[in-house]
Amino acid sequence: MFEEKDFMIQQIRGIAKTLGKFLGLEEVKEIINFDQEQQETLTDEELESILVTAKLENILLNSSLTVNTVAQQLNVETERLEQILSNKVVANPQELSTISDFIDNNHQYL
């Protein structure tokens, strides 16, 4: 059961990460069409962190910026940013806000 749940979470994360480059939180939730059990396995905060991460990764791919440079601009430890980018941790509300502002300021690389 746990392996199935973990697999389901990974699939949802993959979908959210791919679609998150183009859509917002509510649109992705509608596409995924969460049922009650799925809502308990992936919170709005986790989903939002995945979506923001997908956009940030796109900026890193399409610009000359490095993770180190972006971490400095976001005023966050490089290791923490790497954990967020790899979805090992969920960005906290302050980090989400700071990353979202960074994305808005670097929208041309999306």
Side-chain angles (χ1 to χ4, degrees):
M1 174 77 172
F2 179 74
E3 290 176 5
E4 290 175 24
K5 184 177 175 181
D6 188 46
F7 177 75
M8 181 182 67
I9 290 172
Q10 291 303 321
Q11 293 302 309
I12 292 170
R13 285 184 176 177
I15 292 167
K17 208 169 175 185
T18 302
L19 296 175
K21 293 177 183 177
F22 311 104
L23 303 173
L25 178 62
E26 293 304 315
E27 291 88 359
V28 172
K29 284 173 62 175
E30 287 177 24
I31 291 170
I32 293 173
N33 194 18
F34 285 140
D35 64 22
Q36 189 66 2
E37 181 180 337
Q38 290 172 322
Q39 287 180 358
E40 293 172 6
T41 60
L42 192 62
T43 65
D44 283 355
E45 290 81 17
E46 290 172 314
L47 185 55
E48 186 175 2
S49 183
I50 292 166
L51 297 176
V52 166
T53 298
K55 290 178 182 178
L56 184 56
E57 285 177 346
N58 224 16
I59 290 171
L60 286 166
L61 287 173
N62 295 322
S63 71
S64 60
L65 298 171
T66 65
V67 174
N68 233 5
T69 304
V70 172
Q72 289 175 351
Q73 291 182 17
L74 297 174
N75 198 26
V76 66
E77 296 289 327
T78 302
E79 183 178 337
R80 173 73 178 167
L81 183 58
E82 288 171 342
Q83 290 174 335
I84 293 169
L85 287 168
S86 65
N87 293 308
K88 291 181 180 172
V89 298
V90 175
N92 65 42
Q94 165 117 24
E95 291 166 335
L96 283 174
S97 176
T98 304
I99 294 170
S100 293
D101 289 344
F102 179 83
I103 291 168
D104 289 343
N105 291 333
N106 292 279
H107 196 296
Q108 70 270 20
Y109 297 113
L110 289 178

